[in-house]
Amino acid sequence: MGGPRKVASASAAASTLSEPLRRTQESRTRTRALGFPMEKPAASTEPQGPRPVLGRDSVQVPDDQDFRSFRSECEAEAGWNLTYSKAGVSVWVQAVQMDRTLHKIKCRMECRDVPAETLYDVLHDIEYRKKWDSNVIETFDIARLTVNADVGYYSWRCPKPLKNRDVITLRSWLPMGTDYIIMNYSVKHPKYPPRKDLVRAVSIQTGYLIQSTGPKSCVITYLAQVDPKGSLPKWVVNKSSQFLAPKAMKKMYKACVKYPEWKQKHQPHFKPWLHPEQSPLPSLPLSELSVQHADSLENIDESAVAESREERLGGAGGEGSDDDTSLT
C-alpha cells in the first residue's frame, strides 16, 4: 500500500496553508522565478467528472481540474462496493468496466490526534517512509519537474510467493486550505528501465485526499488504480481489501503519531514539499519523460499461485511487522 510511491503535486511553495488562492499565486510566481514549467490552469471552475487518465498520450503535470476530479472520485459513493469497515477504517473496491482484471481500491481512515498537516508531511517525507513502511524495498526521488511535481522510484514487496513490483511515477501535490491532495501516475524515465528481478507495474492513478476535521484530527482517503502487470489469483484481491489495506492504513496512523518526535531529531526544518527552494533534486524537462502504457510491458501470469503458509498465518506484504521500534 505504500505502493505507487508517495504521489502527485500543485502548490507546495508557501509554508502557510490558510489562504489557498494566495498560495497558488505565490507558487506560480515562484515557479517562474525558479525557471520551472508552469502547469496550465483549468478552463472551468465547475466540478468535472473523472479525467480520462487511461488515455494519456503525453506527460503533463496535473492542473486544477485534475485535482478537482481526483477529489470528486475520492468522495464518490456510486459504483463502489464496501468490503471492510471496522475501527474507523473502511475499504471499497470497484471493478474497471473495460477490464475486469483491473480493480480500483479506496480506503478511508479517521485519524484522531493527527493534524492534517502532519499526515501530509508523513506522506511526503521519504526518509521517514523508509522507517515505517515495511513493504518498501527501495524508494527515492529522481528529479523535480515544478515546485509541486517530481518524478521518483518505488519498489515494494508483494504477498509471497508473488513477484515483487516497482514503478516510476510522476507525483504532484496541492494544498487546498486545510486539505491536501497528493497523486501520481506512471511514466517512463530513460535511465530507469524495467528490472529483471522485479515486475514493472503501472499506476494508472493513485493518490491521497487528506481532509482536516479539526485542529488535531483529519480523514484520509487513499484511491488507487494500479495495473500489477499480471493475472493475480483471487486470494490476492481479497487479502488486499480485507487485510493488507486496513493494516497499512493503521500502520500509517501509528507513524503519524510518532512523526513529530522523530522529525525533531532528523532535519526538523527540511521540508522541500513546503519549501521548494530546499530541494536538492536536479530539474528535469517533461520532454525527457513519456507515459508508461500498460500494454508495452510484459504480463506475468500468477493466477494459479497459491498463498504461502506464511501469508495464511498473517504476514503482510511477505515481510515486516507492526513493531514500532524503528520509528525513533
Side-chain angles (χ1 to χ4, degrees):
M1 231 271 337
R5 199 167 151 261
K6 298 177 284 185
V7 219
S9 6
S11 70
S15 59
T16 57
L17 306 166
S18 58
E19 299 172 61
L21 178 59
R22 180 178 62 80
R23 274 191 57 85
T24 301
Q25 292 170 338
E26 287 183 355
S27 176
R28 288 172 177 162
T29 298
R30 190 171 299 184
T31 299
R32 284 190 287 267
L34 295 177
F36 295 141
M38 291 286 293
E39 63 266 43
K40 296 179 180 179
S44 170
T45 58
E46 294 300 317
Q48 302 291 325
R51 298 289 286 276
V53 292
L54 291 174
R56 293 187 196 273
D57 55 6
S58 63
V59 175
Q60 299 175 5
V61 174
D63 59 21
D64 293 346
Q65 185 179 345
D66 291 305
F67 283 103
R68 284 198 302 270
S69 176
F70 179 80
R71 180 173 189 143
S72 295
E73 192 162 5
C74 285
E75 296 174 340
E77 297 181 3
W80 289 94
N81 298 315
L82 182 66
T83 61
Y84 179 96
S85 182
K86 184 178 180 181
V89 178
S90 299
V91 181
W92 297 263
V93 295
Q94 181 185 85
V96 179
Q97 292 182 357
M98 62 170 44
D99 188 341
R100 303 301 292 184
T101 65
L102 290 181
H103 287 76
K104 291 182 181 181
I105 186 168
K106 179 162 61 177
C107 310
R108 184 171 295 144
M109 177 174 62
E110 300 173 7
C111 299
R112 299 176 181 177
D113 303 318
V114 175
E117 56 267 27
T118 297
L119 183 44
Y120 183 64
D121 288 348
V122 167
L123 292 175
H124 271 290
D125 198 322
I126 196 169
E127 293 305 318
Y128 190 57
R129 177 173 285 273
K130 296 173 184 177
K131 295 289 185 180
W132 67 266
D133 185 354
S134 60
N135 290 328
V136 66
I137 299 174
E138 184 179 17
T139 182
F140 53 86
D141 298 326
I142 297 172
R144 55 184 175 179
L145 303 172
T146 69
V147 292
N148 67 313
D150 60 18
V151 60
Y153 175 85
Y154 183 92
S155 58
W156 71 98
R157 299 179 181 89
C158 291
K160 292 181 178 180
L162 301 181
K163 294 184 177 179
N164 296 328
R165 262 68 174 175
D166 71 351
V167 288
I168 300 289
T169 58
L170 185 158
R171 179 185 60 145
S172 58
W173 52 91
L174 179 64
M176 305 170 69
T178 57
D179 298 343
Y180 307 83
I181 291 177
I182 307 174
M183 62 185 188
N184 74 49
Y185 67 92
S186 281
V187 294
K188 288 192 289 187
H189 190 293
K191 294 184 179 180
Y192 299 91
R195 292 167 44 171
K196 293 182 179 180
D197 59 328
L198 297 167
V199 177
R200 178 61 52 88
V202 176
S203 169
I204 298 169
Q205 186 171 55
T206 302
Y208 301 89
L209 169 64
I210 306 168
Q211 297 171 292
S212 177
T213 56
K216 295 184 179 181
S217 62
C218 63
V219 171
I220 181 171
T221 302
Y222 170 77
L223 176 66
Q225 183 178 354
V226 179
D227 187 338
K229 292 313 299 173
S231 300
L232 299 178
K234 188 175 181 179
W235 66 263
V236 172
V237 178
N238 292 338
K239 191 181 184 84
S240 294
S241 61
Q242 297 288 338
F243 178 75
L244 298 180
K247 184 173 182 178
M249 295 294 274
K250 294 172 184 176
K251 180 169 288 188
M252 182 192 301
Y253 173 77
K254 292 180 180 179
C256 289
V257 172
K258 293 178 175 289
Y259 181 70
E261 180 181 358
W262 180 90
K263 188 61 175 172
Q264 282 299 314
K265 302 174 183 177
H266 301 83
Q267 295 183 288
H269 302 295
F270 182 71
K271 295 184 178 182
W273 52 93
L274 295 179
H275 311 290
E277 68 276 6
Q278 296 180 345
S279 176
L281 297 175
S283 59
L284 181 74
L286 286 175
S287 59
E288 293 194 21
L289 302 173
S290 57
V291 176
Q292 179 66 78
H293 295 291
D295 55 12
S296 68
L297 294 170
E298 180 183 2
N299 271 301
I300 307 296
D301 187 0
E302 296 177 299
S303 58
V305 172
E307 186 175 14
S308 69
R309 182 174 182 274
E310 179 182 349
E311 287 295 328
R312 287 196 301 271
L313 294 176
E319 295 184 23
S321 69
D322 284 328
D323 183 11
D324 295 330
T325 56
S326 63
L327 304 182
T328 57

